[in-house]
Amino acid sequence: MTPPPRRKADAEEDSKTSSPPRRPSSGTGMRVIVPLQGLVQGRGGLVLGSVIPCALFYLLQFYLKRHRPSPSDEPAGPIPRTQSRSLLSPRGSSPPASASSRASAIAKASDSPYYAGNDKCSTDAYHAVSNPRGVIQLGLAENQLTLDLVRDWIESNLKESLLGDLQGELSIRGLATYHPFHGLMELKIAVAGFMHQVMQGSVSFNPSQIILASGATPVIENLSFCLGDPGNAFLIPSPYYPGFDRDIKLRTGIELIPVPCRSTDGFSLSIAALERAYTQAKKRGVKVRAVLVSNPSNPVGNLLSRETLYDLLDFVTEKNIHLISDEIYAGSNHGNGQFISVAEVVEAEDFDRSRVHIIYGLSKDLSLPGFRVGVLYSYNETVLAAARKMARFSSISVPTQRLLVSMLSDSKFIAEYLEKNRERLRKMYALFVDGLKQLGIECANSSGGFYCWADMSKYIRSYSEKGELELWDKLLNVAKINVTPGSACHCIEPGWFRCCFATLSERDIPVVMERIRSITESCKVNH
Amino acid sequence: MRIIVPLQSLVHGHGGLVLGSILPCALFYLLQHQFKRQRPPPASSPPSSIPRTASRALLSRSPPAAVSSRATSISSTDHESPHYEGFSKCFDDPFDRVTNPNGIVQLGLAENRLTMDLLTEWIAGSVKASLMDPEVGGLVSYQPFDGLVELKTALAGFMDQVMRGSISFSPSQMIITAGATSAIETLSFCLADPGHAFLIPTPYYPGYDRNIKWRAGVEIIPVPCRSTDSFRLSIASLELAYNQAKKRGVKVRAVLLSNPSNPVGNLMDRETMYELLDFITERNIHLISDEVFAGSNHGANEFLSVVDVAHTEGFDKTRVHVIYGLSKDLSLPGFRVGVIYSFNKIVLEATKKLARFSSVSVPTQRLLVSMLSDVKFIQKYIEINKKRLQRMYDLFVEGLKQLGVNCVPSSGGFYCWADMSKLMRSYSEKGELELWDKLLNVAKINVTPGSSCHCIEPGWFRFCFTTITEDDVPIVMERIERVLENNKR
């Protein structure tokens, strides 16, 4: 362990004596060599020895980062640019213009059975008279049971509702010109009133907390943009509505973490399972931003009890996350249970409201999916401000808004409609579930929505997703009925199917049951 | 001893470069890693310190739920450009010759009210027939999110009528969205990934900043145009901007321009289009042509669509995309109807799937199928509209001229691009905004200052003349004159 200064002196000595031929003017040369030698031999020690390599390393990283090729890069065209355009025959010779990598991912994403079945249905739709061998659509949650009332109303009220009394330019301005993208105030007021009626007077909604958009689909996406950043996640009890996969994941970059519910619990939400999923996500380093529930649930049809709502609110408050309640079927509960909105609970108790958001719309309760009307109801000022600005991307056509202001303000019509609708849903549900029961297919208890959640696990060849999809395929291509398999809804127990009954008329039911029977019979034989 | 000796050599620099660099580097990375793991996300608040008890009353003051950083930045109001600020002021106090003569005259919104009478007549006469399908299901049920086939067909026909080009528009290459705003955003998602950029000649429509950057995360690189060129696009500037971007390591994915341009009103000529198509083909990027004002050209020049030129000259059309809509040419901004027209299969496939987020109300689609199929009405409408636009343009530009304000000669759009630089106190953005403020709050007219459009030369203003009538023009000129007088003093 010789003290450094002496070694330095030695080195100096050495270089002086050993390398004069290389360094004629050794003055400058010395100044360079000595520190260098010091480095190599560990002189200047820790400081130099760490600073310089670190600096080099960072420079290298920086250089690599700048020149990192992006994923969708295409090689530059090899054609030299000349004046003569004829030589520049671009057809076929320049590389094809590539879309963004996110576009390619979206375009190529394979369709889940949920969409595949719907497509098949639209090309070969069943009709009792004109196409009796067509595919019967039980996969789209649409309600055609009370269209007659809607038709009558529109027929008698259309002109007035759209054009008023056509005095001069006023009404055309109210129809054709620019209006706030987040919805006419008159419509927000009318929608608030409608929601109040639908939820049977249990909650009063404030129109200024409403943002309107062209369907619940953009509402969910907008809200997702507002609550989470790319890489964040939402917890969502499964089975869940297959559309959420597209609505939430496609562009926002938010992950969906399913929280499995079990048939033994009637597929109702368990806070313990939520807790578990949250903790697992945390371990993985994924930041959970919200819990998304649908109430009445889709595809099962459960209503959330008051107690569960309390527990849920406790949970999100404790974890400091948001709660999104998709209540789009609020007015379509046909069972004995009573629908309770999260708004009711939040306003009754001293919960922090800024974390509660409700999704609503007119596609289900008013059977107007073609009108494209969705509602975001939030208590959070920042979310409202951001959503208001993003409304420009999914704004509702003003003539439709005018028409709806008129329709929703007709409380007598609305009351009659809601009542008749519930009655018909109840009746159809009973008939359908009974029909399935006679085939030995039990359905989960449900009180809301347009569907029943049927257990066909007895009839699948192997108790697995593969077996389930085989049965789904048989039902679609042999029996020609389109239902939604549980795997498309991320159900962890195979064999469950969602069957929507609200596009059928009573006389279609025997036809459907017969077709299902033909499959179940053949499956029985095989067992 | 065994410990001390290596340590000592470290300190004294023995073992040299290797130990001396590895150890500190390792420590440093460990430190960074620690920080990264524990780094709180930008918008999060400290976790609640209240212990969970059965009694809900104790659970009262939990920290507010944090929103995403995107929501925070979008909602914050410091990003309000004068373009939008003027709108809200106007909305609160709109001018009306009879009921509110001291209100703010709206010259900042490119909305066309010149032909409302024609629309009123048509709708009143035909609404019932066009909406009452034999089956009400055709009105209220789920339909394809990217638009009814009948509407695509009718729109393709309308675009043929408006653009009168050598190529027919095909319904199968069209995606219908809820407004051109959404069309631009959706196309941005499909042509670029976050962090990529579009080159846009300036001055440009202020809305692009929102439509392209907010959610799609695409950067905009302005390509300045100069008054000496009448604000026409220069391929040399494009070239320059492209190379600068490349140096910075930013990947440019497309050039976006509007034709007729907004806010200037230029029509692009065939030669420039050739060069532009050359440019993008050579760089292997896309071209987005925003042609919403195609049918609103009122000058002597004919509108030429980029699709036309690409087709006749044999360019690769898969890199050419057109944005269109009914908000300008058919004066129906309230209907919310936009169009993405593309030849690129992947883009069409992706935008079709994204159409679920911005679909048009079916009753509106039915109404429009009827209206657009009424070819005679449409023809008459387009003609009369052009005449009235020409008239208002002439009146307005003349009026400004008499005040000593010159406009760039323009042949399209609902506005004129006026040079008020001589009338500003200081030749700067600050001076421009001062003048804008005076115009808004003293003269009570809302106009769009050039800085909102990212114009590099201060003092230019966009005046829209389609929301007022001929009788209002003298009133507007008189108000402007008052402010100019005051300024001169």
Side-chain angles (χ1 to χ4, degrees), chain B residues 146-421:
Chain B
D146 59 326
L148 299 171
V149 171
E150 298 94 314
L151 182 55
K152 289 187 185 183
T153 310
L155 268 170
F158 179 64
M159 287 168 80
D160 284 341
Q161 258 183 300
V162 160
M163 304 197 191
R164 284 182 299 181
S166 54
I167 179 174
S168 254
F169 287 92
S170 157
S172 59
Q173 287 170 227
M174 197 183 280
I175 303 288
I176 303 181
T177 60
T181 294
S182 177
I184 293 168
E185 196 205 28
T186 305
L187 203 51
S188 303
F189 266 103
C190 292
L191 296 181
D193 288 306
H196 290 170
F198 289 168
L199 294 176
I200 307 187
T202 67
Y204 61 75
Y205 160 57
Y208 287 153
D209 288 323
R210 295 184 162 190
N211 302 348
I212 295 171
K213 294 186 192 171
W214 268 4
R215 303 194 304 186
V218 178
E219 193 186 317
I220 295 180
I221 297 175
V223 180
C225 301
R226 299 177 183 289
S227 53
T228 41
D229 297 329
S230 291
F231 295 98
R232 289 185 183 281
L233 173 64
S234 129
I235 302 289
S237 309
L238 258 188
E239 187 86 52
L240 201 67
Y242 182 87
N243 292 334
Q244 279 174 351
K246 198 165 177 183
K247 275 205 199 102
R248 272 198 297 138
V250 172
K251 190 157 172 54
V252 171
R253 295 290 306 202
V255 173
L256 162 63
L257 44 77
S258 48
N259 175 31
S261 70
N262 182 354
V264 184
N266 287 330
L267 284 177
M268 193 170 275
D269 59 58
R270 195 174 284 271
E271 193 55 41
T272 314
M273 249 183 230
Y274 279 154
E275 294 180 25
L276 187 53
L277 286 162
D278 256 344
F279 176 83
I280 58 148
T281 308
E282 194 193 336
R283 301 274 175 298
N284 190 20
I285 59 180
H286 294 268
L287 174 61
I288 307 171
S289 183
D290 181 352
E291 303 184 346
V292 274
F293 287 103
S296 304
N297 61 317
H298 46 74
N301 301 330
E302 284 298 316
F303 169 79
L304 186 61
S305 169
V306 69
V307 164
D308 209 315
V309 178
H311 178 74
T312 49
E313 292 302 316
F315 281 99
D316 172 17
K317 297 203 282 284
T318 64
R319 52 180 86 251
V320 173
H321 316 272
V322 171
I323 303 276
Y324 193 60
L326 299 182
S327 301
K328 311 295 180 183
D329 288 349
L330 207 49
S331 311
L332 298 173
F335 279 38
R336 310 309 307 132
V337 178
V339 174
I340 297 176
Y341 193 83
S342 176
F343 297 86
N344 189 310
K345 278 208 167 60
I346 295 184
V347 169
L348 284 172
E349 209 30 71
T351 51
K352 189 174 178 166
K353 288 193 176 165
L354 294 178
R356 64 198 279 113
F357 299 119
S358 60
S359 46
V360 181
S361 211
V362 176
T364 298
Q365 294 194 52
R366 295 275 176 214
L367 183 62
L368 286 169
V369 168
S370 213
M371 194 190 279
L372 295 173
S373 310
D374 191 343
V375 179
K376 251 178 70 190
F377 164 73
I378 294 293
Q379 197 55 44
K380 178 176 101 175
Y381 180 90
I382 295 176
E383 267 170 39
I384 296 183
N385 189 33
K386 278 198 180 141
K387 280 207 195 88
R388 295 182 186 178
L389 279 172
Q390 179 80 66
R391 176 140 179 82
M392 280 306 285
Y393 174 79
D394 289 338
L395 267 176
F396 207 88
V397 170
E398 185 56 41
L400 285 178
K401 201 169 188 176
Q402 286 176 13
L403 297 176
V405 176
N406 288 322
C407 298
V408 171
S410 101
S411 7
F414 300 160
Y415 34 74
C416 52
W417 188 235
D419 184 4
M420 302 186 92
S421 50

Side-chain angles (χ1 to χ4, degrees), chain A residues 1 42 49 57-58 66 95 98 100-102 142 176 178 222 225-226 228-229 247 252 322 355 370-371 397-398 400, chain B residues 8 13 21 28-29 63 66 68-70 111 140-141 190 192-193 215-216 247 253 286 319 334-335 356 361-362 364:
Chain A
M1 285 183 309
F57 186 69
Y58 273 112
R66 283 188 73 182
S98 59
S100 64
S101 48
R102 44 190 176 182
E142 192 175 345
Y178 277 111
N222 272 349
F225 270 113
C226 289
D229 288 303
D247 297 346
T252 66
H322 293 266
R355 52 183 85 252
F371 278 35
S397 210
V398 176
T400 298
Chain B
Q8 258 191 337
S21 46
F28 186 69
Y29 273 113
S68 68
S69 45
R70 311 186 253 218
E111 182 177 77
V140 303
S141 307
C190 292
D193 288 306
R215 303 194 304 186
K247 275 205 199 102
R253 295 290 306 202
H286 294 268
R319 52 180 86 251
F335 279 38
R356 64 198 279 113
S361 211
V362 176
T364 298

